[in-house]
Amino acid sequence: PNWSSALFFDGTNDYIDCGNDSSLQISQNISVSVWLRCTDQGIIFSKGQYAGETAGAGYNYSLSVRSPGYGLAWQWYTTSSEGSSTGNRIYYLATTGKALTVIDGEWHNIVVTRSASSSKLYLDGEYIVSSGNTASDLDYMVNSSQNVRIGDSSNSADPFPGDISNVQVWNTQLTDADALSIYNNGQP
């Protein structure tokens, strides 16, 4: 990444509004890569609010740094109603219980993916955790009309405190080799 062009987010009210271009209205396969440096938890990247819940209750998809012990969270909402009284359901992949931290003031690369068959999370080029997706996971993600934001969600729920650089989004699932290549090609 170009470290001199990284943007600092104050953890209070800073974010980048990326709009709602059709290229960001992804409803099946998706991968996101981001370089970050932080000292507290917050939302790194998010798309809208969950259409099946009340305003502010969720997202179309989001990536966040959670408190120590919880780690990283990659979430998306689907059109499945399995186990939900609201008509839609949240799915997530988290590093809960993993001995890792990104809240250390150092630069880290995070890559997350989601496809019909699996979801994966990588930290600094290393595979950390995955989930085999069930039949309900195969449903399309809810596609909200909300804009994509970097550094917070559309309801300003948990602003990100730190630096973010080189956010990239694909409408395909990246491979283990892709995640490692992104990390190796971007190390300072």
Side-chain angles (χ1 to χ4, degrees):
N2 184 345
W3 305 111
S4 63
S5 66
L7 296 176
F8 174 74
F9 296 81
D10 66 10
T12 303
N13 58 5
D14 293 345
Y15 63 87
I16 297 170
D17 188 323
C18 301
N20 188 29
D21 185 79
S22 62
S23 65
L24 298 171
Q25 296 174 17
I26 300 169
S27 61
Q28 289 189 320
N29 297 343
I30 183 172
S31 296
V32 177
S33 171
V34 61
W35 283 88
L36 60 81
R37 177 173 56 183
C38 64
T39 56
D40 203 353
Q41 71 179 25
I43 295 172
I44 303 163
F45 178 89
S46 70
K47 166 102 169 68
Q49 296 179 344
Y50 175 37
E53 293 279 312
T54 58
Y59 315 98
N60 177 197
Y61 50 83
S62 70
L63 173 61
S64 58
V65 176
R66 307 313 318 149
S67 59
Y70 191 74
L72 300 166
W74 169 227
Q75 308 177 135
W76 64 93
Y77 295 84
T78 75
T79 55
S80 169
S81 60
E82 177 186 317
S84 170
S85 62
T86 60
N88 295 325
R89 184 169 173 177
I90 180 175
Y91 291 89
Y92 67 93
L93 186 59
T95 60
T96 306
K98 301 283 184 183
L100 63 93
T101 185
V102 295
I103 304 176
D104 60 5
E106 300 294 324
W107 281 103
H108 295 283
N109 175 248
I110 300 167
V111 174
V112 291
T113 68
R114 181 223 186 248
S115 76
S117 61
S118 68
S119 302
K120 294 183 178 184
L121 188 146
Y122 304 84
L123 177 62
D124 296 334
E126 181 182 342
Y127 161 79
I128 301 296
V129 65
S130 67
S131 167
N133 293 340
T134 65
S136 352
D137 291 331
L138 303 179
D139 292 337
Y140 289 98
M141 289 191 300
V142 171
N143 204 345
S144 77
S145 61
Q146 298 287 324
N147 292 351
V148 167
R149 283 190 177 183
I150 298 172
D152 203 354
S153 66
S154 57
N155 61 336
S156 302
D158 197 4
F160 182 82
D163 299 296
I164 296 177
S165 185
N166 295 61
V167 177
Q168 299 174 49
V169 181
W170 296 267
N171 62 353
T172 187
Q173 185 177 38
L174 297 180
T175 66
D176 295 354
D178 293 331
L180 182 59
S181 177
I182 290 168
Y183 174 70
N184 286 334
N185 290 323
Q187 280 187 302

